[in-house]
Amino acid sequence: MKKLTKVLALVLALVMVLSLAACGGNTPSTTAAPTTTKAPETTKAPETTKAPETTEPAPVAKNMVYATSTFGQKFSPFFYTTAFDGEVVDMVHIGLLAADRGGAVIKNGIKGETVAYNGKDYFYQGAADVEVVQNADGTVDYNLTMRDDIKFSDGEKATIDDVIFGIYVMMDPTYDGSSTLYALPIDGVEAYRGGMEQRGAVIFKAGPDGYKANDLYTEEQYKKFWDYYNEKAGEDFAQEILDYLVAKGYNAADDAVEVKAANWGFELPAGATVKDFWDAIVAAYPDTAKAEEAESAGSTRDTLTIAALGAEMQAGVVTGESADNIPGIERTGDYSMTVHMTKYDATAIYNMSFVVAPLHYYGDKAAYDYANNKFGFTKGDLSGVKAKNTQPVGAGPYTFEGYNNGVVTLKANPNYYLGAPKIENVMFAEAVDADYVPGINAGTFDIALPSINDDTLNAIKDANSNKELTGDTITTVLVDYRGYGYIGINADLVNVNGEGGSDASKALRKGFMTLLSIYRDTVVNSYYGDRASVIQYPISNTSWAAPQPADAGYKNAYSVKVDGTPIYDASMNEEQKYAAALEAAVDYFKAAGLKYDEASKKFQTEESWEIMIPGQGTGDHPAYGIATAASTALESIGIKLQVNDVGTSTWNNALESNSAQMWAAAWNSSVDPDMTQVYHSSNAHGKGTNSNHYQVDDKALDDLIQRGRESADTEERKSIYKEAMEIIMDWGCELPTYQRKDCSVFSTKRVKIDTIPQDMTPYWGWKAEIDTMEMN
């Protein structure tokens, strides 16, 4: 969702989805979070927010209410479509592998591992161990061994067959859930998935030019598909975008269409409809196909049509030869298996946390015979699995008791392998974001994750007698968001003599970055306050690969002179630091070859540079203050830096066409720190994905990126990426500016605060230790 990341950078909302995130004890999320979050149109948040109704309420200490948003009511680990449904899934199910606070996989989950974070040691356990074996021929084996004492909530024992069943569900040719497990280079996947397609996909490939008699679909089915595709699927496409914005917290569910659309870069008149939004999307491009490709929130009209028309279009039809099994999925024992991959993929390990889903519930035990290529259901028919979408059963810390009047009720699972949770009942209650904090204050909710803004923070402070974010009514935990803001420079446009990689060109860019960097603290603190902090390396602080202040060689961004000595010392006040930065910038510009007049203390150059800030012409962006302060300082030494505050389309077009000299934006981070897309030369100069907008073209950096992709050793990769980041900073093409924060709030009166997780991160939230949390 690169486009969304860029657009939301304009409105200061840093925009990763994660297939491994601790939840329920030390157990990770069971499935990859979906790339789309479309909820059924019939699902609405209740007009009033209220706690769940019970005829005989249990004592307060036995109940907890978590405020969430509208459910899609698909609570299946295979087919959930909203992030809020996914949270329920994570309470009911477990995945094989655990993850630590930095998102790194715990490879020895059965006995557990101790991993340091933020200067403290933490112990992690999971449902399985994983051994990664890189073979001499380039193939890779993932040897998985699960615990032998896991039981599902109904008391039946879990084995590796339950895991294999779930894998084959997600590998089925007709699977249309959010997992992309089938995209991994697992031996034999393509042969197994080949020769069969969804009926709707076959109709779409046939085209809209008229029905031709065949054995795969009828004329009536053909007409039904194309009628929906042409008349309704466009609105579904637009609605999916709006739902995504709500699911990610960039809009409230009850925001008007035009308000939501603005966060996707479209200006619509008041009272606009979903159809108006779709029409605007189409009108912005030469044809509808290009509009779909550029604006999708994850789906296309054909896939949306298939989903809307259901089983009839989702059914598999045989189109050719198909393998009976996947050789790369090998059962090696009752509690073990091996995944054989044809090549190494650094991100693959995050997908090894397969869901442990009960075959006897979601599938058919009579239809499972591993030795004879039977995997619990008829290949091409997932209707039986989908029939359980609204009633999940798993081995997680809680059991699903039901959904009623906007509330999901969960009950502690006495069979949970890490021990029954101490809180007996947990309710997930639908609400709107604006009601989260007032609801905790009023006693309606106990936990919530509100969107963080000044109004939210002020409401929290007002609720506490000490007027702080943590007090006698509400306890607030601020957690770094999975992404960061930055200022970039295009090396193809800001250089000396057209040589972007020369020492002189690097010095030129570092002159600008040195001055820009010194104004970050003041401006970011003024703009965001508690909502963000300044970062020093081009990686989200939430990543396990992010350098830490205690690491050897850690330093602030652009804090050394041309000769490598520090620009600042501890005795300097703010004004002295500004003066020191200006002096250091002068030396960098001299090193770049710019002519300097000692008498006037100014550079003699007619050249000027431009930085584009997407503040919509109002200066409403944290980088605007940084850029204007630096521009003023540069002017005093004869350097002209024009700050151009532009709108969405101008900024986006300049970035995509690689015509912006300097710009401000934000990156969305993933759990794996692979740098290929953003910094590898194969994606520079308009080549490849055209996503290396810095135009960094450095063989040493390319080699490090490749080494990082090929290594399975976390510590080795961390060292590799630290070295790679040093090269990126040496190019002077990126200045990390801020790390925005997310917010978790707890009722100080009702939640036993000393039992909530310590050092929470995006990968280790409040649910990570739900089994040991307590209520007052």
Side-chain angles (χ1 to χ4, degrees):
M1 296 309 302
K2 186 172 63 175
K3 176 182 176 63
L4 177 62
T5 306
K6 292 177 180 177
V7 171
L8 291 181
L10 313 185
V11 293
L12 311 171
L14 260 176
V15 185
M16 152 171 190
V17 289
L18 172 69
S19 60
L20 270 172
C23 173
N26 304 115
T27 310
S29 172
T30 55
T31 53
T35 54
T36 64
T37 54
K38 184 179 187 299
E41 294 181 2
T42 55
T43 305
K44 298 187 294 184
E47 294 182 3
T48 59
T49 302
K50 57 181 181 179
E53 298 177 1
T54 56
T55 53
E56 295 183 6
V60 173
K62 293 185 178 181
N63 297 295
M64 185 189 78
V65 182
Y66 167 59
T68 185
S69 192
T70 306
F71 294 113
Q73 299 179 50
K74 289 184 180 179
F75 305 116
S76 165
F78 306 112
F79 295 107
Y80 76 89
T81 54
T82 77
F84 314 112
D85 289 3
E87 288 189 299
V88 175
V89 168
D90 289 343
M91 296 285 276
V92 176
H93 287 277
I94 62 171
L96 281 182
L97 303 180
D100 65 20
R101 282 168 169 77
V105 171
I106 299 299
K107 294 182 178 179
N108 301 296
I110 297 177
K111 287 186 177 180
E113 294 181 12
T114 297
V115 181
Y117 181 85
N118 196 24
K120 300 178 184 177
D121 286 341
Y122 290 100
F123 182 71
Y124 302 89
Q125 283 183 289
D129 294 343
V130 59
E131 177 192 30
V132 184
V133 180
Q134 293 180 272
N135 302 309
D137 62 358
T139 62
V140 183
D141 294 333
Y142 292 85
N143 299 319
L144 295 154
T145 303
M146 66 184 289
R147 297 171 63 123
D148 61 6
D149 60 349
I150 296 174
K151 289 184 178 180
F152 294 110
S153 58
D154 60 7
E156 186 146 340
K157 201 166 185 178
T159 71
I160 206 68
D161 292 319
D162 298 293
V163 177
I164 291 174
F165 156 73
I167 292 173
Y168 271 91
V169 168
M170 293 183 286
M171 293 295 194
D172 193 79
T174 67
Y175 176 74
D176 55 3
S178 60
S179 172
T180 56
L181 181 65
Y182 53 80
L184 291 176
I186 297 174
D187 184 28
V189 167
E190 293 182 0
Y192 180 78
R193 286 175 55 83
M196 179 178 285
E197 293 184 71
Q198 289 183 322
R199 178 177 285 116
V202 175
I203 294 175
F204 180 69
K205 288 181 178 179
D209 298 331
Y211 174 77
K212 296 178 182 178
N214 64 87
D215 296 330
L216 304 181
Y217 54 87
T218 65
E219 185 172 7
E220 180 183 1
Q221 290 168 334
Y222 178 87
K223 183 176 185 303
K224 183 184 294 187
F225 178 94
W226 287 110
D227 283 349
Y228 193 96
Y229 180 89
N230 292 319
E231 296 171 12
K232 298 180 180 180
E235 290 184 50
D236 289 352
F237 182 93
Q239 184 64 53
E240 183 179 72
I241 295 172
L242 302 178
D243 291 336
Y244 183 95
L245 292 165
V246 173
K248 290 300 181 182
Y250 305 118
N251 287 99
D254 56 355
D255 280 351
V257 170
E258 64 270 17
V259 176
K260 297 174 184 174
N263 276 344
W264 202 258
F266 285 84
E267 296 181 7
L268 302 178
T273 64
V274 176
K275 185 179 185 304
D276 292 333
F277 185 25
W278 167 244
D279 290 342
I281 291 172
V282 174
Y285 293 88
D287 56 57
T288 307
K290 286 186 173 58
E292 280 192 74
E293 180 182 0
E295 301 295 341
S296 174
S299 301
T300 51
R301 283 187 297 160
D302 56 309
T303 58
L304 291 168
T305 297
I306 293 170
L309 297 179
E312 185 178 19
M313 295 297 166
Q314 293 167 343
V317 293
V318 177
T319 59
E321 293 185 3
S322 182
D324 293 330
N325 61 37
I326 304 171
I329 305 299
E330 180 186 3
R331 185 185 193 276
T332 57
D334 290 345
Y335 299 96
S336 62
M337 64 177 290
T338 295
V339 178
H340 303 283
M341 293 180 55
T342 57
K343 62 181 180 180
Y344 180 73
D345 184 323
T347 65
I349 193 167
Y350 303 106
N351 291 279
M352 295 297 116
S353 186
F354 303 117
V355 62
V356 185
L359 160 64
H360 68 274
Y361 179 75
Y362 286 101
D364 180 359
K365 277 191 115 174
Y368 185 91
D369 184 348
Y370 176 84
N372 291 298
N373 302 321
K374 298 171 66 178
F375 303 106
F377 60 95
T378 300
K379 184 177 181 180
D381 182 7
L382 297 178
S383 59
V385 182
K386 290 184 176 182
K388 306 295 175 63
N389 277 356
T390 61
Q391 293 291 324
V393 172
Y398 282 83
T399 63
F400 182 88
E401 299 298 304
Y403 169 81
N404 187 41
N405 293 328
V407 177
V408 166
T409 301
L410 304 167
K411 190 175 183 66
N413 176 12
N415 293 317
Y416 183 48
Y417 77 99
L418 291 178
K422 296 184 178 182
I423 301 173
E424 186 174 325
N425 303 299
V426 175
M427 279 71 78
F428 281 34
E430 290 178 340
V432 295
D433 193 288
D435 289 341
Y436 288 177
V437 172
I440 288 186
N441 193 22
T444 305
F445 307 128
D446 299 310
I447 300 177
L449 309 180
S451 298
I452 185 169
N453 52 50
D454 287 338
D455 290 341
T456 297
L457 297 182
N458 289 334
I460 293 170
K461 292 176 181 178
D462 288 343
N464 290 324
S465 61
N466 62 1
K467 302 305 175 185
E468 301 289 340
L469 290 177
T470 291
D472 51 4
T473 299
I474 296 176
T475 293
T476 304
V477 178
L478 298 177
V479 176
D480 286 338
Y481 186 75
R482 294 175 297 198
Y484 67 95
Y486 73 94
I487 290 173
I489 299 181
N490 185 326
D492 282 350
L493 301 179
V494 181
N495 58 52
V496 178
N497 298 325
E499 299 176 358
S502 69
D503 288 342
S505 294
K506 292 175 182 178
L508 174 65
R509 294 188 293 269
K510 283 189 277 190
F512 288 109
M513 289 305 201
T514 298
L515 269 179
L516 289 164
S517 67
I518 193 57
Y519 294 105
R520 293 176 302 162
D521 286 324
T522 300
V523 175
V524 170
N525 182 63
S526 174
Y527 191 95
Y528 277 119
D530 294 324
R531 295 182 287 131
S533 59
V534 172
I535 61 173
Q536 307 301 340
Y537 285 84
I539 188 172
S540 171
N541 278 346
T542 63
S543 173
W544 55 261
Q548 301 298 315
D551 292 349
Y554 183 96
K555 60 178 178 287
N556 288 349
Y558 302 102
S559 61
V560 297
K561 302 176 183 178
V562 171
D563 62 7
T565 58
I567 297 174
Y568 316 104
D569 63 57
S571 68
M572 291 181 176
N573 60 30
E574 194 171 75
E575 292 302 321
Q576 288 172 327
K577 288 181 179 179
Y578 294 154
L582 187 62
E583 183 180 344
V586 167
D587 288 340
Y588 275 114
F589 290 132
K590 287 180 179 178
L594 273 63
K595 185 178 180 181
Y596 186 70
D597 179 53
E598 294 290 348
S600 64
K601 303 294 183 184
K602 289 188 177 184
F603 287 93
Q604 308 298 303
T605 177
E606 295 300 318
E607 190 171 2
S608 64
W609 293 266
E610 177 192 51
I611 181 169
M612 301 184 80
I613 308 294
Q616 310 301 304
T618 66
D620 189 13
H621 193 288
Y624 183 79
I626 295 171
T628 52
S631 177
T632 299
L634 287 164
E635 187 177 8
S636 71
I637 58 172
I639 301 293
K640 298 175 184 176
L641 176 63
Q642 179 183 346
V643 181
N644 194 0
D645 184 4
V646 300
T648 303
S649 59
T650 300
W651 168 83
N652 188 62
N653 290 339
L655 201 55
E656 291 300 321
S657 64
N658 298 313
S659 61
Q661 289 184 320
M662 307 182 198
W663 69 92
W667 280 124
N668 180 20
S669 301
S670 65
V671 65
D672 191 84
D674 176 41
M675 297 178 169
T676 303
Q677 181 181 11
V678 180
Y679 302 110
H680 198 279
S681 64
S682 63
N683 296 316
H685 318 300
K687 299 182 299 182
T689 61
N690 189 35
S691 48
N692 180 350
H693 296 304
Y694 314 103
Q695 316 308 333
V696 173
D697 193 337
D698 191 297
K699 186 180 185 304
L701 177 59
D702 287 349
D703 290 344
L704 286 169
I705 291 173
Q706 189 60 36
R707 282 177 54 201
R709 286 178 63 90
E710 294 173 351
S711 174
D713 186 308
T714 299
E715 288 305 312
E716 180 185 29
R717 294 186 75 204
K718 186 172 182 178
S719 175
I720 289 171
Y721 290 130
K722 172 69 184 307
E723 187 177 350
M725 284 184 274
E726 297 289 355
I727 293 177
I728 293 165
M729 301 294 279
D730 183 58
W731 269 69
C733 284
E734 181 175 342
L735 170 66
T737 51
Y738 62 89
Q739 174 98 47
R740 189 171 63 81
K741 294 183 181 294
D742 276 338
C743 177
S744 298
V745 292
F746 303 83
S747 169
T748 309
K749 297 176 180 177
R750 294 182 297 280
V751 177
K752 188 174 286 188
I753 299 302
D754 62 1
T755 68
I756 68 174
Q758 301 300 301
D759 279 330
M760 289 169 62
T761 73
Y763 314 117
W764 197 262
W766 71 269
K767 297 190 299 297
E769 299 174 25
I770 187 62
D771 56 322
T772 58
M773 279 180 61
E774 298 179 44
M775 304 296 288
N776 288 322

